[in-house]
Amino acid sequence: MITTPQSLPPSSLASISHRVANLPSNSLSHNGLSKPDFPENSRPGLSSSSNPGRDLGAPAGSMGAASCEDEELEFKLVFGEEKEAPPLGAGGLGEELDSEDAPPCCRLALGEPPPYGAAPIGIPRPPPPRPGMHSPPPRPAPSPGTWESQPARSVRLGGPGGGAGSAGGGRVLECPSIRITSISPTPEPPAALEDNPDAWGDGSPRDYPQPEGFGGYREAGGQGGGAFFSPSPGSSSLSSWSFFSDASDEAALYAACDEVESELNEAASRFGLGSPLPSPRASPRPWTPEDPWSLYGPSPGGRGPEDSWLLLSAPGPTPASPRPASPCGKRRYSSSGTPSSASPALSRRGSLGEEGSEPPPPPPLPLARDPGSPGPFDYVGAPPAESIPQKTRRTSSEQAVALPRSEEPAPCNGKLPLGAEESVALPGGPRKEVAGMDYLAVPSPLAWSKARIGGHSPIFRTSALPPLDWPLPSQYEQLELRIEVQPRAHHRAHYETEGSRGAVKAAPGGHPVVKLLGYSEKPLTLQMFIGTADERNLRPHAFYQVHRITGKMVATASYEAVVSGTKVLEMTLLPENNMAANIDCAGILKLRNSDIELRKGETDIGRKNTRVRLVFRVHVPQGGGKVISVQAASVPIECSQRSAQELPQVEAYSPSACSVRGGEELVLTGSNFLPDSKVVFIERGPDGKLQWEEEATVNRLQSNEVTLTLTVPEYSNKRVSRPVQVYFYVSNGRRKRSPTQSFKFLPVICKEEPLPDSSLRGFPPASAPPFGTDMDFSPPKPPYPSYPHEDPAYETPYLSEGFSYGTPPLYPQTGPPPSYRPGLRMFPETRGTTGCAHPPSVSFLPRPFPSDPYGGRGSSFPLGLPFSPPAPFRPPLPASPPLEGPFPSQSDVHPLPAEGYNKVGPGYGPGEGAPEQEKSRGGYSSGFRDSVPIQGITLEEGGCGTGGCECECVQEIALHVC
DNA sequence: CAACTGGAACGACCC
DNA sequence: TGGGGTCGTTCCAGT
């Protein structure tokens, strides 16, 4: 058997699941959230057709009967096996391989500490319960220079919140759904937290487990109760909640949880390497023995193993009706705190507000758990309802922006679930945030950055690998994880109700390729998960999961694992393959927004949150029980069908500058151009305000779906003495505008000598939505929200529309480190013109696309441009705060060979030489580059290509040019 | 036939 | 309050 009996106590998993199964589901429900509410309301398909078995209500036994035989079988298979199977057996199903059989990499892993796996008891492995939640930053390990991840859970436990609240002895109930630990408001290291109970909570309800939270569908394991009650029908897999279906009484539940917890802990501590559980249906993982992760499985956080099952298993249940309403009906994205949904279940969100006002009585936490031993089920991420910001969505950026996010100290330790973060974000501040707010208050990215990215080395103990939401560099010393071939900018994700839509493809054809440089001793496991692409730290995406693709055409062996609720695809990097992997086995699964949003503690909003990044990680053993963890994130990938179809995209244009007199012909190449597409030039002031706007005259005769030929309008002020940076975008309608592209008007006198334009500095190209909106759906609109930021760039329209959902200003007032500053990044488009070559340009490079070291940080990827921190070699920018600190930047870091850039640049014609990838990325490669002399210089000299581009970068470049 | 794909219908929201 | 637009989700059909 795969499992590692030795490492895992026989009773562990199996027994755990078993017991869990017996837990009374209803015990979890509180505050009126009864199990019935969830399932039915929330998921149409749930109850009936979908996955009966998953339905909480249905006893395991009966479940199958109901409607899905397949499902049932699966279910039984999984659960049954697990129950009886040896502990890890979960993996159980696997008759797979023996550890011996495991590929070297696996073994290696095993030998070395499992990445996510087993953490010493003291360090509970299960990362933050909820995907997307931020785990606490790793804390310094005893060994100098080494860090060890901190399971959120442990931290919390120690904290007041932890059990505090409820459990007196600090022992808190660790049931997957039940335990919702408080979020640490402080970014400080866990240790600190522990020491300072207050840090964890004020005793507010937040600190208590939230019974209510159970509502979160899918949360099976993690989040909470929801899992129990609302299995996702849709989800194909079994949910942890299933285990609870038969539960009969609370006491039992608690007890069970407790036991489970301890068992899990123990098991975890013993685990060596975690290999994911074989997916029930999915192809068995070839090599891994047990999956430590599985242990974490029921990660409290939210997506737990169950999720994995979900994902893995059959496609979602079939909704009873063809078009089942979302759980509870469509979620309303109202701004108000009032519950918008009609059904109670639905109102979850609305209820949040309510919760806030009336914190649910701390449920008695019968089983308090020992802080020291975090239970596997802790729901670390879930903040108490009260603390959960209401997720209401605001469509307009203005609104979103409205909330001034002033300097939020960075209280957050990063581990907080979003909600927590948000709520806690304000240091001394009251969390009232939610109170009057209709939308979410998002913690300042900066805070996170500081707290989490600080700049320590990516060295961890094998026993305590960094959580998925922990930023890691792409490069460290000689090691570098690089995405040699970036994925396409668009990949339509599939729903559980749909069939697979295939593996993510690369622009040039084929699939993304990831390579580890600087190491080739032995096989290593490459992990991949779907990360966010917003402006905040890279973290697992709550609404998307990696989906393992199998089939004849898939050559890369992989297996799925679940790490703290996030599905992770593991592949092997073999020395014989130069430590490179062709990612042809990774698809993207879209989870219903309603399902995810209902999760307790989930603060992210799914609406319009459709961009993701492929995140790759490798833990390279260094001996001494240490590993160097490096991570690379791909360019942003737009996963929605609509966006890809409707938004005009400018892939290239030429020229990128002309005299202020205008009149020159500008040719745009891209996609989705319509006969009535308009091209509007705009100029914004330092404050982001629209200063000039002029619609260009499009030559319809010379235009088509992929080409727009227009005449550059005359600039408003022909007497400028310096080049003027302006932007333009293609509009197919009110909300269908392409990202802005930069363009420069040159003074008549120095037309050929573009000088650095002051405007460039403060003003990032609109096209580069500061945050991640790679695809800026929102045009550069006048309503530029003004943030107190020093850099206007921060405020981009994008925010408002694209990510505004409630996410307030994404940028820290103080300004994130350069690398993180989304606003600073320049889009490819911009690059060319501005002469600022920055990361985006990278995307165009034929060479491997550097990934964002910190992955998410800057998530602002304008069209897919990865955001990269300044290259290591790059001279420190004075103004920029040390972001990375010690970390060398990730992949981005690589200096781009100037040549590479040049080649790609000019050479590309839209449509041809340029790899699609580049194009798609938003790398509007070609055209603009040639046109401006500076461009080439910039890229190379500026070193922008290496890292993220920042204002400074621009300036720097400018200086060079000058 | 299953896995992909591309389209588009439906319905809930949002403005 | 009603209409149009947007967007998520589900279906359908072709490859």
Side-chain angles (χ1 to χ4, degrees):
Chain A
M1 289 301 280
I2 305 169
T3 62
T4 51
Q6 65 270 33
S7 56
L8 192 54
S11 55
S12 337
L13 293 180
S15 62
I16 292 170
S17 40
H18 200 68
R19 291 175 201 162
V20 172
N22 296 326
L23 299 178
S25 60
N26 58 3
S27 61
L28 296 178
S29 65
H30 293 275
N31 300 332
L33 288 180
S34 58
K35 122 176 131 176
D37 293 341
F38 277 95
E40 315 282 12
N41 296 335
S42 56
R43 310 209 66 162
L46 245 182
S47 47
S48 54
S49 56
S50 332
N51 300 302
R54 292 175 190 152
D55 187 344
L56 293 179
S62 63
M63 63 166 99
S67 40
C68 283
E69 275 121 48
D70 289 357
E71 293 292 301
E72 178 179 1
L73 291 176
E74 183 178 350
F75 179 87
K76 291 178 180 179
L77 177 62
V78 175
F79 288 67
E81 299 272 352
E82 286 192 346
K83 292 178 181 178
E84 325 251 294
L88 286 186
L93 293 179
E95 343 185 17
E96 284 96 7
L97 314 174
D98 195 40
S99 54
E100 286 300 291
D101 296 342
C105 57
C106 293
R107 282 180 237 140
L108 171 61
L110 292 175
E112 301 289 341
Y116 287 74
I121 293 176
I123 301 172
R125 210 351 119 70
R130 150 180 165 281
M133 288 186 151
H134 299 276
S135 304
R139 63 185 165 199
S143 311
T146 300
W147 293 79
E148 60 186 13
S149 64
Q150 283 213 45
R153 185 203 261 193
S154 64
V155 174
R156 286 156 192 221
L157 290 176
S166 40
R171 191 175 166 75
V172 177
L173 172 57
E174 305 277 8
C175 255
S177 358
I178 294 177
R179 179 185 179 131
I180 296 172
T181 60
S182 61
I183 296 165
S184 159
T186 65
E188 301 175 353
L193 293 176
E194 292 178 356
D195 294 343
N196 177 9
D198 291 348
W200 289 105
D202 43 38
S204 63
R206 190 160 49 99
D207 296 338
Y208 300 81
Q210 253 242 359
E212 293 178 343
F214 302 138
Y217 148 71
R218 253 180 215 286
E219 282 331 23
Q223 291 243 44
F228 298 148
F229 303 107
S230 55
S232 128
S235 64
S236 50
S237 47
L238 303 177
S239 300
S240 58
W241 57 267
S242 309
F243 293 109
F244 303 85
S245 53
D246 290 343
S248 50
D249 82 330
E250 253 187 45
L253 171 65
Y254 289 116
C257 290
D258 191 17
E259 290 181 15
V260 171
E261 172 188 351
S262 58
E263 288 180 353
L264 289 178
N265 290 337
E266 180 178 341
S269 65
R270 296 182 182 188
F271 254 121
L273 175 43
S275 40
L277 295 176
S279 57
R281 286 188 183 178
S283 55
R285 82 179 167 263
W287 55 81
T288 48
E290 33 307 67
D291 180 357
W293 292 355
S294 62
L295 292 180
Y296 304 116
S299 70
R303 306 167 188 168
E306 63 269 18
D307 287 321
S308 65
W309 290 337
L310 287 177
L311 299 176
L312 297 177
S313 55
T318 17
S321 71
R323 293 176 183 285
S326 324
C328 306
K330 295 261 181 178
R331 151 172 284 78
R332 291 181 183 179
Y333 302 92
S334 67
S335 56
S336 70
T338 54
S340 49
S341 46
S343 73
L346 294 182
S347 60
R348 190 160 170 328
R349 185 169 285 173
S351 66
L352 293 177
E354 297 173 355
E355 292 175 2
S357 57
E358 275 180 46
L365 298 180
L367 303 178
R369 136 184 339 170
D370 178 17
S373 58
F377 297 114
D378 292 11
Y379 176 51
V380 177
E386 156 198 278
S387 63
I388 299 173
Q390 297 176 350
K391 302 177 195 180
T392 51
R393 168 171 94 93
R394 287 215 143 204
T395 353
S396 70
S397 50
E398 300 80 309
Q399 295 173 330
V401 179
L403 301 178
R405 274 196 108 54
S406 27
E407 330 272 329
E408 306 165 6
C412 73
N413 54 357
K415 148 193 304 189
L416 305 181
L418 294 180
E421 291 174 356
E422 296 171 358
S423 56
V424 179
L426 309 181
R431 309 180 181 144
K432 62 143 190 171
E433 70 284 9
V434 180
M437 295 165 74
D438 289 343
Y439 20 102
L440 310 176
V442 176
S444 157
L446 176 55
W448 298 8
S449 303
K450 290 180 179 178
R452 310 183 60 190
I453 299 177
H456 23 71
S457 69
I459 300 176
F460 300 86
R461 294 201 327 208
T462 53
S463 60
L465 298 177
L468 299 181
D469 58 354
W470 180 255
L472 296 175
S474 62
Q475 180 181 52
Y476 185 77
E477 295 183 341
Q478 82 287 0
L479 294 175
E480 178 182 1
L481 184 59
R482 178 187 298 177
I483 297 175
E484 296 277 325
V485 177
Q486 289 285 337
R488 287 181 179 172
H490 290 102
H491 174 82
R492 181 172 162 181
H494 66 273
Y495 283 82
E496 293 169 327
T497 53
E498 295 182 306
S500 168
R501 285 187 177 277
V504 173
K505 298 173 183 61
H511 299 276
V513 174
V514 177
K515 183 176 184 178
L516 175 64
L517 303 176
Y519 180 93
S520 61
E521 297 176 31
K522 44 188 174 178
L524 291 180
T525 295
L526 171 68
Q527 301 177 328
M528 180 201 141
F529 62 92
I530 302 301
T532 56
D534 59 25
E535 73 292 353
R536 299 183 294 182
N537 282 348
L538 175 62
R539 60 194 184 285
H541 205 298
F543 302 90
Y544 292 89
Q545 292 277 326
V546 63
H547 174 255
R548 180 168 174 265
I549 302 294
T550 57
K552 302 173 185 175
M553 305 306 288
V554 178
T556 305
S558 64
Y559 55 92
E560 292 175 317
V562 175
V563 177
S564 43
T566 298
K567 264 181 75 172
V568 175
L569 203 57
E570 296 189 337
M571 293 154 274
T572 304
L573 294 176
L574 301 170
E576 49 268 46
N577 291 334
N578 295 315
M579 302 304 281
N582 181 39
I583 315 302
D584 61 356
C585 54
I588 301 175
L589 172 68
K590 173 68 169 63
L591 302 178
R592 280 193 287 253
N593 293 340
S594 56
D595 292 343
I596 303 306
E597 291 171 347
L598 288 175
R599 296 201 305 209
K600 197 67 176 180
E602 178 57 62
T603 57
D604 281 350
I605 293 176
R607 188 178 172 83
K608 296 177 91 174
N609 186 1
T610 56
R611 285 187 302 170
V612 309
R613 284 192 282 179
L614 303 185
V615 185
F616 299 92
R617 275 191 177 186
V618 170
H619 302 288
V620 184
Q622 299 296 302
K626 297 178 183 176
V627 296
I628 288 178
S629 300
V630 288
Q631 167 179 296
S634 73
V635 295
I637 300 171
E638 172 57 57
C639 295
S640 72
Q641 170 193 17
R642 195 178 301 280
S643 298
Q645 295 181 330
E646 303 177 353
L647 299 175
Q649 284 282 330
V650 176
E651 297 175 351
Y653 56 94
S654 180
S656 60
C658 82
S659 126
V660 294
R661 295 172 183 165
E664 290 191 28
E665 183 178 79
L666 174 61
V667 178
L668 312 183
T669 57
S671 59
N672 295 334
F673 296 153
L674 302 175
D676 61 348
S677 290
K678 295 179 182 178
V679 177
V680 180
F681 281 75
I682 59 171
E683 178 187 13
R684 292 182 186 284
D687 57 353
K689 291 184 180 178
L690 186 64
Q691 295 190 328
W692 171 72
E693 181 176 25
E694 186 70 46
E695 182 178 336
T697 301
V698 177
N699 181 335
R700 305 292 172 186
L701 297 177
Q702 295 179 44
S703 301
N704 55 45
E705 197 172 305
V706 297
T707 303
L708 281 181
T709 301
L710 55 115
T711 299
V712 177
E714 177 180 274
Y715 183 60
S716 59
N717 179 1
K718 302 182 196 63
R719 296 188 174 187
V720 296
S721 58
R722 303 165 60 174
V724 178
Q725 179 67 59
V726 300
Y727 303 88
F728 70 84
Y729 61 86
V730 176
S731 173
N732 282 351
R734 206 166 62 115
R735 298 202 168 204
K736 298 178 181 178
R737 299 182 188 176
S738 69
T740 57
Q741 311 296 323
S742 66
F743 189 82
K744 188 177 291 185
F745 279 112
L746 307 174
V748 177
I749 13 181
C750 59
K751 182 175 179 179
E752 296 305 322
E753 270 183 301
L755 297 177
D757 185 337
S758 60
S759 65
L760 293 178
R761 298 183 181 183
F763 194 26
S767 64
F771 304 137
T773 37
D774 169 36
M775 316 215 129
D776 174 2
F777 302 49
S778 55
K781 304 169 179 176
Y784 242 52
S786 359
Y787 302 74
H789 306 270
E790 50 196 57
D791 187 337
Y794 286 127
E795 342 198 77
T796 57
Y798 279 104
L799 286 182
S800 17
E801 292 193 351
F803 292 79
S804 53
Y805 312 165
T807 14
L810 310 171
Y811 330 94
Q813 278 48 15
T814 57
S819 38
Y820 291 132
R821 306 165 95 177
L824 295 181
R825 296 176 196 165
M826 313 221 32
F827 288 80
E829 313 78 276
T830 310
R831 267 178 256 164
T833 346
T834 59
C836 171
H838 65 83
S841 49
V842 174
S843 34
F844 298 80
L845 299 179
R847 76 191 282 280
F849 197 66
S851 49
D852 175 353
Y854 294 92
R857 297 191 204 130
S859 50
S860 53
F861 17 109
L863 284 186
L865 295 180
F867 171 123
S868 14
F873 56 83
R874 183 178 170 189
L877 299 178
S880 41
L883 229 194
E884 291 122 37
F887 288 168
S889 60
Q890 291 188 338
S891 50
D892 306 19
V893 174
H894 317 297
L896 295 180
E899 34 198 79
Y901 186 84
N902 292 335
K903 291 177 183 177
V904 177
Y908 281 152
E912 42 167 1
E916 268 186 39
Q917 152 180 15
E918 296 177 357
K919 294 192 276 178
S920 60
R921 263 180 228 138
Y924 305 132
S925 38
S926 50
F928 58 96
R929 260 176 243 144
D930 326 310
S931 45
V932 180
I934 292 177
Q935 298 175 348
I937 293 172
T938 306
L939 293 177
E940 300 178 2
E941 296 187 3
C944 294
T946 65
C949 171
E950 286 137 34
C951 291
E952 293 85 348
C953 182
V954 174
Q955 295 176 6
E956 184 176 53
I957 294 169
L959 292 176
H960 286 292
V961 174
C962 292

